Structures are given as structure tokens and as C-alpha cells.
Amino acid sequence: MDKVRQIAGRSIPRHVAIIMDGNNRWAKRRLLPGVAGHKAGIDAVRAVIEVCAEAGVEVLTLFAFSSENWQRPADEVGALMDLFLSALKREARKLKENDIRLRIIGDRSRFHPELQAAMLQAETTTAECSGFVLQVAANYGGQWDIAQAARQLAEAASAGRLNPDEITPALFERHLATDGTPMPDLCIRTGGERRISNFLLWQLAYAELYFSDLFWPDFKHEAMKLALADFGNRQRRFGKTSEQVVREAQAEC
């Protein structure tokens, strides 16, 4: 462990968020249908969970389906919904056996009732798990999340339950879909793109960004370890100078 990591004392992120990009391109390069890439990506999900849990990460949030993904071809969307449903039914027991709690964030109203029921059942099955939190963003968008939080606060203010002067960033965060989890420390995007695509817009305000050229199905154990190692070598200043960060860390020792 180098000096920066020892002094900073933050070598392992509490919360990692990942934009799992490149499934379709992975499949196309192999002359396979797009859904084949999403199926192959399940192995990458398992690998990343294993690495994060072993490293001591507390929360892993995966961007599984954005609010914009409904614009994709209907047959692809249908195949993704079928894959999501089968994965929920198949993996919930395994998650519980490994003490992993599943949370699903996003607007569920557009999903088929059977899929909504499977989401609730999987969450209920793992509700008592406390070792690790797997948070899946489905029909999620950062703008939607901010808007629904603002709507809740506006309704409370309109009903007289809340004084607008009482609205603070901390109060606002308690109305976001991610309430109950720490803000992400590290955001990873695979597939070679360099944008966050409406993912956790409020929550990523101070997250470290890491971009990988690997398509998601190829982002396995070693790739995840490299991302965590890169994070460990960064100094997070949160508006302070490097000297302030070092002095404060030394004072804590």
C-alpha cells in the first residue's frame, strides 16, 4: 500500500456504482443477437459482486435498465424483461445464502405485474441479510429520481407538514431512491464511453469516475480489482487542499 493510501485511509470505497455498458457491442462482434451479450453479462455481475464483497465494499449499485432504454427495439426490451425475471427467480436464494441484501430502485410502475411481484419477492427473501447490499437500478433515471424527491417535498410543504426553509441537501437525500445507503465513492463505466447517462445524478456529485474500454461481459475479477486499486491511489479532497487532507488524516492516526 503506497503512502497516499495509508495517509488518506480511504483505500476501499464504501459504495461502488457501475454503468454496465457494452453488452450489445460484445454480442455484435461475435455475430450474436443483442440479448446474448446481456446473458453473458450475468457472469460479470457475479464476478464483480465477489470482488467487492471480498474487498470490503458495503454497497454495489448496478445500472441494469435506464428510463431511456424503453426506446430500444421492442423485441430486445422484451428479451431483457424475460432475462430480468428469470434472474430474479434464480438468484434470490443464492443471494440470501451469501448474506447479500437485494434492493431495486427505480419506477416499477411500467413493469409487468409478474416482474413487479418477482422484484418484491426477491427483496423480501433477502431483507434480513446484512453482509453486503446489491442495489439494482431498473427503469431508473437520475432526473426522475430528483424529480420524485422534489415532488415528495413539495407535497409535504403544500400540506403544511414541512416548512420550505427546512429543506436541506441532507433532507433531500432522504427522499431519493438510494436513501439508506452511503453516497457512491466510485462510479465505473465499461464499454469505452465517457459519460454517466442520467445515472445517480445527485449521488455522484463527489464520486471518483473510472472508465474502462472493456465491454461489460469482459469486465471480470481482474478488471474490478484494477478499478479498486485505481481508486485506492486517488486522494479525495472534497474541496480542500491536498495539505489539509494529509494533516487531517495524520491527526486521526
Side-chain angles (χ1 to χ4, degrees), residues 50-71:
E50 289 175 6
V51 172
C52 286
E54 291 175 1
V57 173
E58 298 173 23
V59 182
L60 172 65
T61 300
L62 302 177
F63 203 7
F65 191 84
S66 77
S67 51
E68 289 76 33
N69 285 155
W70 294 105
Q71 302 176 64

Side-chain angles (χ1 to χ4, degrees), residues 14-236:
R14 293 184 65 194
H15 184 170
V16 175
I18 303 181
I19 302 171
M20 306 179 293
D21 193 19
N23 290 317
N24 273 346
R25 284 173 286 159
W26 182 93
K28 288 178 181 178
R29 286 193 177 183
R30 291 160 176 78
L31 303 179
L32 298 170
V35 70
H38 294 286
K39 289 180 179 179
I42 294 176
D43 288 337
V45 170
R46 294 191 182 106
V48 165
I49 290 174
E50 289 175 6
V51 172
C52 286
E54 291 175 1
V57 173
E58 298 173 23
V59 182
L60 172 65
T61 300
L62 302 177
F63 203 7
F65 191 84
S66 77
S67 51
E68 289 76 33
N69 285 155
W70 294 105
Q71 302 176 64
R72 294 193 172 193
D75 57 344
E76 180 181 344
V77 171
L80 285 172
M81 295 301 104
D82 290 341
L83 182 61
F84 193 14
L85 179 61
S86 62
L88 284 171
K89 291 181 177 180
R90 184 181 61 250
E91 301 294 334
R93 185 180 300 176
K94 296 178 183 177
L95 292 175
K96 183 176 182 179
E97 290 173 353
N98 288 281
D99 200 24
I100 297 173
R101 180 188 174 196
L102 176 67
R103 293 187 68 194
I104 300 173
I105 60 173
D107 181 4
R108 305 187 192 189
S109 64
R110 194 168 175 180
F111 292 124
H112 188 279
E114 184 182 7
L115 181 52
Q116 292 186 44
M119 291 177 177
L120 180 58
Q121 180 59 50
E123 289 179 318
T124 302
T125 298
T126 64
E128 301 303 318
C129 298
S130 58
F132 182 81
V133 175
L134 173 62
Q135 196 162 237
V136 176
N139 194 24
Y140 176 89
Q143 292 175 334
W144 164 85
D145 199 1
I146 291 171
Q148 66 84 29
R151 188 179 303 111
Q152 291 183 54
L153 292 170
E155 290 172 351
S158 179
R161 300 191 306 273
L162 176 67
N163 187 322
D165 291 338
E166 298 173 338
I167 299 176
T168 63
L171 178 62
F172 193 88
E173 287 174 9
R174 291 203 293 273
H175 290 79
L176 292 171
T178 51
D179 179 45
T181 62
M183 291 293 104
D185 300 295
L186 172 64
C187 179
I188 299 169
R189 181 172 187 146
T190 62
E193 302 292 353
R194 303 292 192 270
R195 57 179 179 270
I196 58 175
S197 297
N198 197 23
F199 182 46
L200 299 176
L201 296 181
W202 176 286
Q203 296 89 333
L204 294 180
Y206 270 100
E208 298 294 318
L209 304 180
Y210 181 90
F211 299 104
S212 171
D213 290 330
L214 292 174
F215 294 144
W216 176 247
D218 295 325
F219 195 85
K220 302 288 182 61
H221 296 82
E222 291 307 314
M224 187 65 222
K225 290 177 182 178
L226 286 174
L228 291 179
D230 180 88
F231 174 88
N233 285 316
R234 300 190 190 188
Q235 184 188 63
R236 307 185 72 202

